[in-house]
């Protein structure tokens, strides 16, 4: 009985079927969308969420903007749940009518211009500003608070993302330790001093005044961020890992743990340098 050839034929037919579906979608929509192969990031904090690198970076930016504006963790949960539902945490070029971006905000409804809304920091800022005006949003269910801002035709839809958003918010606000793990494969997009400078510029854009002007220093090999407590340290450490795929980041160290890009895991520091909770150290590929 020749099993292997039969398995091979079945596999080939399955692949042809998948390609056929992709081609059909392309013919109908004019866009070719290939399936993604597995998540690149895992977040574990009283639950587990898996995301790809783009989604993870957007979630980290949404969180940073909320923290920068002094919004509580629950506001971050509401914002993340909204972006999950509206765009799957992707910065979309289009949507229903003139909706665009992470939150599918509409220029015609006064959210800003197309280019402004396509900036994740601007879009997140507009969302938080609108949420802050909602009386009693802190006591509402996630979906009710989101709906007050979004005015969606599906007001209950945001609630299904509440649990995932709580996991992400706990990690990205720094309340959880070693919670964001992203694996970065292949050649880095940028190296050396250029990578360190770009990384620092991105940090400043997301964190603004929350990142003191003297707190971060770029070097040819990477950068360091001075922190005043463990919570803030993990906030920046998790942000760095979340943005690693697009920044040439190779290694992050905080406290007694170290993250390495190819492995994507937080491991105990074993080089005898000791525990450092005063600085987050990031190294880029040379």
């Amino acid at each position: 009985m020749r099993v292997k050839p039969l398995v091979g034929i079945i596999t080939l037919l399955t692949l042809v079927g998948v390609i056929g579906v992709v081609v059909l979608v392309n013919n109908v929509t004019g866009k070719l969308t290939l399936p993604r192969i597995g998540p690149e990031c895992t977040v574990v904090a009283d639950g587990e969420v898996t995301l790809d690198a783009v989604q993870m970076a957007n979630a980290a930016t949404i969180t940073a903007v909320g923290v920068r504006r002094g919004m509580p963790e629950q506001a971050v949960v509401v914002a993340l749940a909204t972006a999950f539902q509206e765009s799957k945490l992707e910065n979309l070029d289009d949507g229903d009518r003139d909706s665009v971006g992470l939150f599918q905000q509409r220029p015609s409804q006064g959210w800003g211009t197309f280019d402004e809304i396509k900036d994740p920091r601007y879009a997140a800022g507009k969302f938080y500003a609108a949420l802050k005006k909602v009386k009693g949003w802190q006591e509402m269910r996630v979906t009710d608070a989101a709906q007050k801002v979004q005015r969606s035709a599906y007001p209950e839809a945001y609630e299904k993302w509440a649990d995932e958003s709580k996991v992400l918010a706990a990690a990205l606000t720094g309340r959880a330790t070693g919670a964001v793990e992203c694996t970065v494969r292949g050649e880095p997009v940028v190296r050396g001093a250029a990578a360190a400078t770009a990384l620092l510029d991105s940090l400043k854009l997301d964190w603004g005044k929350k990142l003191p002007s003297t707190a971060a220093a770029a070097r040819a090999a990477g950068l360091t961020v001075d922190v005043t407590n463990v919570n803030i340290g993990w906030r920046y450490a998790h942000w760095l890992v979340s943005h690693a795929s697009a920044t040439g980041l190779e290694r992050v160290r905080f406290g007694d743990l170290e993250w390495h890009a190819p492995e994507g895991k937080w491991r105990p520091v074993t080089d005898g340098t000791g525990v450092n909770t005063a600085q987050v150290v990031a190294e880029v590929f040379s």
Side-chain angles (χ1 to χ4, degrees):
M1 186 174 180
R2 301 182 66 185
V3 177
K4 290 185 178 179
L6 179 60
V7 172
I9 291 170
I10 293 172
T11 302
L12 179 60
L13 289 174
T14 302
L15 180 59
V16 169
V18 171
I19 293 172
V21 171
V22 172
V23 171
L24 176 60
V25 170
N26 187 37
N27 288 337
V28 172
T29 66
K31 297 178 181 179
L32 179 60
T33 304
L34 295 174
R36 289 174 176 158
I37 304 175
E40 296 164 304
C41 298
T42 302
V43 183
V44 180
D46 294 327
E48 182 172 318
V49 176
T50 55
L51 300 174
D52 67 28
V54 171
Q55 292 171 312
M56 192 71 242
N58 285 331
T61 291
I62 290 170
T63 302
V65 173
V67 173
R68 185 180 73 193
R69 285 173 164 259
M71 299 296 283
E73 187 175 322
Q74 182 62 13
V76 175
V77 172
V78 176
L80 290 170
T82 302
F84 257 124
Q85 171 60 25
E86 297 291 354
S87 68
K88 297 296 186 292
L89 287 171
E90 296 182 6
N91 195 17
L92 303 178
D93 289 329
D94 52 25
D96 179 47
R97 286 168 285 187
D98 61 335
S99 299
V100 65
L102 287 167
F103 298 90
Q104 288 292 277
Q105 295 156 331
R106 299 177 59 192
S108 65
Q109 298 297 313
W111 287 99
T113 66
F114 175 91
D115 289 337
E116 284 174 334
I117 297 171
K118 276 286 291 178
D119 178 352
R121 301 171 186 94
Y122 173 92
K126 294 291 283 187
F127 180 87
Y128 286 118
L131 179 64
K132 193 172 184 179
K133 294 177 182 178
V134 176
K135 186 176 180 179
W137 68 265
Q138 298 93 330
E139 287 75 44
M140 295 179 184
R141 291 187 305 156
V142 168
T143 197
D144 295 333
Q147 175 64 3
K148 288 289 186 181
V149 176
Q150 298 296 104
R151 302 181 185 276
S152 168
Y154 306 97
E156 292 293 321
Y158 305 104
E159 193 67 23
K160 66 177 176 282
W161 301 108
D163 290 343
E164 288 88 343
S165 299
K166 289 174 183 176
V167 171
L168 290 176
L172 293 170
T173 58
R175 194 161 54 82
T177 297
V180 178
E181 296 187 324
C182 296
T183 302
V184 184
R185 300 181 178 89
E187 285 294 311
V189 294
V190 63
R191 293 174 178 269
T197 299
L199 188 59
L200 180 57
D201 289 345
S202 186
L203 260 172
K204 289 179 177 178
L205 283 172
D206 269 16
W207 291 101
K209 292 180 180 179
K210 282 288 181 180
L211 187 72
S213 58
T214 58
R219 314 182 312 275
L223 58 83
T224 59
V225 181
D226 296 333
V227 296
T228 55
N229 61 57
V230 172
N231 180 275
I232 292 174
W234 282 113
R235 190 178 295 170
Y236 289 125
H238 288 154
W239 184 95
L240 287 162
V241 173
S242 298
H243 285 269
S245 182
T247 59
L249 189 64
E250 181 180 15
R251 195 181 308 271
V252 178
R253 179 179 293 191
F254 180 63
D256 60 350
L257 294 176
E258 180 179 80
W259 169 89
H260 189 224
E263 300 167 0
K265 302 291 184 183
W266 288 97
R267 306 289 190 192
V269 174
T270 58
D271 63 1
T273 55
V275 177
N276 182 2
T277 58
Q279 283 187 329
V280 179
V281 180
E283 297 177 5
V284 296
F285 283 95
S286 60

